[in-house]
Amino acid sequence: MTPTIADVDLLDDGEAADIYARLEALRPRWLSRGKGFATLGVATYLDVMASERPEETYYARLPEQNGLIRTHFGDLLEKVATALSALLEAPTRYEEAVALPGFHVFESAGVSTKSWPNQHFDLQHRSLRWPFPLASEDDVVSFTLAIALPRCGGALEFWNVVEADVARLQRLGRTVTMELLGNTKPVRRHEYRVGRMSVQLAPIMHRIAAVPVRYPGDQRITLQGHGVRDSGGWVLYW
């Protein structure tokens, strides 16, 4: 039976520490997203779906942000692409017309101790202008590579719920909310580990897991990305 989430060990402790140091050196170039939350890189869910001006917040910032990531983390991108190609048994590549995988940085108050009802499906690809036809609207993956985690660890909370479950409930005349969907299946927890890439092999409903205790200096830093298929294989983006 195919797992919902697959883990790939990608970096050892020294390599993860090196990525962390490179990212920290670029702190002045991070994009502030709110109290205790920043990114290096633009993200579809933030800069297109949640933006009133996606031409400015996403497309206009692509060259600079993609350039930073490719210049300083090109070797990491190659490791990610190679590992995903082996896992998905197909070629992988990056496309400059969309954002490269980038970094989530949560620190201080950004490291949540409360589970917020922000569960969602990763269907960002539907909001982008792709310069090629997609092979399938439903064949998508998402991945998270932990670079630094809080003292209590980090995890993904997920439900074995997919978009088709929304349509099924709507056919039954139900008003569908994420909270209602969450009540149809038990919530599960997938633990992250520094240097390990966790790959969602289908767009399941999920959210960032909270920590029971937030300690001074805690950080939750991950490389984030998604994949869609075209005729040549998988295109990796954020």
Side-chain angles (χ1 to χ4, degrees):
M1 184 174 183
T2 302
T4 303
I5 301 174
D7 285 325
V8 180
D9 289 325
L10 198 70
L11 304 174
D12 62 28
D13 289 345
E15 291 169 328
D18 176 59
I19 297 297
Y20 175 89
R22 289 189 235 170
L23 183 62
E24 183 62 38
L26 292 169
R27 183 180 282 266
R29 312 295 293 274
W30 295 358
L31 301 175
S32 176
R33 303 297 191 168
K35 190 174 181 180
F37 178 30
T39 68
L40 184 70
V42 291
T44 307
Y45 85 98
L46 290 169
D47 299 309
V48 177
M49 298 172 69
S51 173
E52 296 179 354
R53 303 181 308 278
E55 294 297 332
E56 298 174 26
T57 54
Y58 188 86
Y59 294 101
R61 294 195 291 195
L62 275 179
E64 179 193 16
Q65 291 290 307
N66 276 2
L68 282 171
I69 292 170
R70 190 173 288 283
T71 297
H72 295 278
F73 303 99
D75 56 340
L76 178 61
L77 293 181
E78 288 307 310
K79 280 179 178 275
V80 167
T82 299
L84 287 173
S85 180
L87 177 67
L88 301 172
E89 300 181 335
T92 56
R93 74 177 198 276
Y94 299 104
E95 170 61 57
E96 291 294 335
V98 292
L100 293 172
F103 294 90
H104 265 165
V105 181
F106 296 96
E107 51 190 358
S108 303
V111 178
S112 180
T113 57
K114 180 179 179 181
S115 293
W116 298 99
N118 60 352
Q119 53 262 40
H120 59 278
F121 301 109
D122 281 342
L123 301 170
Q124 292 92 325
H125 61 289
R126 297 177 181 172
S127 300
L128 291 177
R129 300 194 298 260
W130 294 99
F132 46 77
L134 299 182
S136 170
E137 280 287 322
D138 301 317
D139 207 356
V140 297
V141 297
S142 296
F143 55 92
T144 297
L145 170 63
I147 304 300
L149 293 173
R151 192 186 305 184
C152 288
L156 183 79
E157 289 186 339
F158 71 98
W159 294 256
N160 281 330
V161 173
V162 296
E163 192 180 26
D165 295 317
V166 177
R168 178 178 58 81
L169 289 172
Q170 288 174 335
R171 288 195 298 271
L172 294 173
R174 306 287 293 275
T175 300
V176 181
T177 65
M178 289 297 180
E179 184 177 2
L180 172 64
L181 285 173
N183 290 333
T184 65
K185 298 281 181 70
V187 62
R188 303 183 182 189
R189 183 179 174 93
H190 186 85
E191 297 292 336
Y192 290 145
R193 194 179 83 184
V194 169
R196 175 175 288 173
M197 181 168 63
S198 297
V199 185
Q200 294 180 47
L201 298 171
I204 54 174
M205 191 169 74
H206 64 279
R207 68 183 177 195
I208 293 175
V211 296
V213 179
R214 181 175 59 236
Y215 291 94
D218 268 355
Q219 292 178 301
R220 187 187 193 278
I221 301 176
T222 58
L223 180 77
Q224 299 289 146
H226 313 287
V228 295
R229 282 199 310 112
D230 72 348
S231 59
W234 289 90
V235 180
L236 310 178
Y237 77 101
W238 194 18

